[in-house]
Amino acid sequence: MPDLALIAGFDAGQTHTTCRLAAAGSGAVLAEGQGPGVCHLQGPNGPDRFCRALGQSLQQALGQLSPGRLVAAGIGASGIEVGTPVQDQARQLAAAALGLPLQGVLVTGDERTALRGAMGSHSAGIVVISGTGMIAVGRNGAGEEHRCGGWGWLLDGAGSAMDIGRDGLALTLEMADGRRSDSPLRARIWAGLGLDPGDPQAPQAIKARVVAPDFGAAGFARLAPLVAAAAAEGDPAAAAVVERSAQALARMVATIGQRLALENPPVWPLGGALEHLELLRQRFAAALALHCPGARLEQAAGDGCSGALALARLCLEPKSK
C-alpha cells in the first residue's frame, strides 16, 4: 500500500508552533503536533529556531499516523514580511527542513494565514491578534490587504501580552522606589517571578532577570494575566495598563478599515491574550465601538493552521502556462 499523501499547515508563533496534517486528496485533518516558537530570521539563531520549530512539530504530528508522505506545506510564521528577502529565505529554509521541493512550499506571515483561516466564506474583514506580540491585517473585496503593527516587541508592542506584562512590572518598580503608592499588584507580580515581595534586593534581581537571554518578550507576556487579574479586582494602575492595550488594538482596526474602505467590517479577535484575558477582550470591544463604529466582533471560521493548509493546497493546483 502506498504511503498516504499529506499536506501540512504550520502556525509558527513566538511562543510555540503547531503543525496540522491533512490528507492531500480529501483535505481531512489527520493529526496535529507541537513544537517550539520562532523568532525573526535575523535574530539570534533565527534560521536554526525556524527549522527546529517546523521539524519538531512535524515529527510529533507524523508520530500519530501510519507512514505518510508529505507533498506540500503552507507556513504562517511570526516575523515573515511579505515580498521581502526574508520571505524568500524562509521558503528555502522550510523546503530544506521539510524535504520538499521549493514549489511545494509557501511561507508568509502568521497574520496572513490567520486572516485566511478566519475569513471562511467572507470576502473581506480584519483579523486582530494579541498574543505575546500583536498585529492586525485586513482584506477588502478587491483582494487588497493592509497590515498594522507587528514591528517587533522592542519597537511596537502596544496591545500585546508582552506590553501588558512589561508595563505592569515597571509599575511595581516605581512602587518599590517610592514613586508610586504600593498596591497588591507588586506582591502578585514579584511572587509570579518567584521573588519574595519583602526582599529589599528583589528590584535588583528583576533588573538582572529581564535581560537574561531566556526572558525576552515571552517572559514579560507571562506576567500579563497577573496584571489583568489585578485590574479586574479594581487596581486603577493595572486597569490603565490594560486599557492602553485595548485602545491600541482598536486603533489598528480603525486604521485598516479606513485604508481599505471597509464599512461595518467583521473583526476576528485572535491570540492568547484576547482569548484568555477577559478584561482585555471586554475593553477592546468597548474601544472598537468608539474607534470603529459598525465593526462587529465575530467568531473565526478557522485558525492559523486552517489558513496554512489552504496555502498548502495552492501548491498542488495545476500551474497555468
Side-chain angles (χ1 to χ4, degrees), residues 106-308:
L106 287 175
V107 183
T108 189
D110 57 350
E111 76 281 0
R112 311 280 173 166
T113 46
L115 177 64
R116 184 181 288 266
M119 289 182 72
S121 60
H122 285 278
S123 61
I126 301 169
V127 67
V128 56
I129 306 169
S130 174
T132 302
M134 61 81 196
I135 196 167
V137 63
R139 181 185 302 162
N140 62 20
E144 299 170 320
E145 294 187 354
H146 184 69
R147 158 271 188 93
C148 282
W151 300 113
W153 70 278
L154 290 172
L155 296 172
D156 187 28
S160 69
M162 182 283 302
D163 218 56
I164 293 172
R166 184 204 59 208
D167 286 359
L169 181 58
L171 288 176
T172 71
L173 294 174
E174 292 184 17
M175 295 173 191
D177 68 16
R179 284 177 288 169
R180 183 181 292 271
S181 297
D182 202 6
S183 83
L185 176 67
R186 183 181 65 82
R188 188 192 295 264
I189 289 183
W190 289 14
L193 289 169
L195 299 171
D196 179 0
D199 182 359
Q201 299 303 315
Q204 287 75 22
I206 291 170
K207 183 179 179 181
R209 180 80 59 86
V210 300
V211 297
D214 61 348
F215 194 84
F220 288 116
R222 284 190 288 269
L223 302 176
L226 305 178
V227 181
E233 292 171 3
D235 186 300
V241 169
V242 175
E243 184 66 24
R244 282 198 298 273
S245 278
Q247 293 287 332
L249 294 174
R251 285 194 297 271
M252 290 197 299
V253 172
T255 299
I256 291 170
Q258 292 167 2
R259 287 292 187 97
L260 296 178
L262 295 173
E263 294 185 8
N264 306 326
V267 177
W268 300 287
L270 301 176
L274 281 171
E275 180 180 352
H276 299 298
L277 304 183
E278 180 60 28
L279 182 61
L280 176 64
R281 188 181 179 98
Q282 291 173 1
R283 296 314 305 157
F284 168 59
L288 191 62
L290 176 66
H291 291 284
C292 194
R296 59 192 189 277
L297 292 174
E298 293 193 1
Q299 185 73 29
D303 59 11
C305 280
S306 302

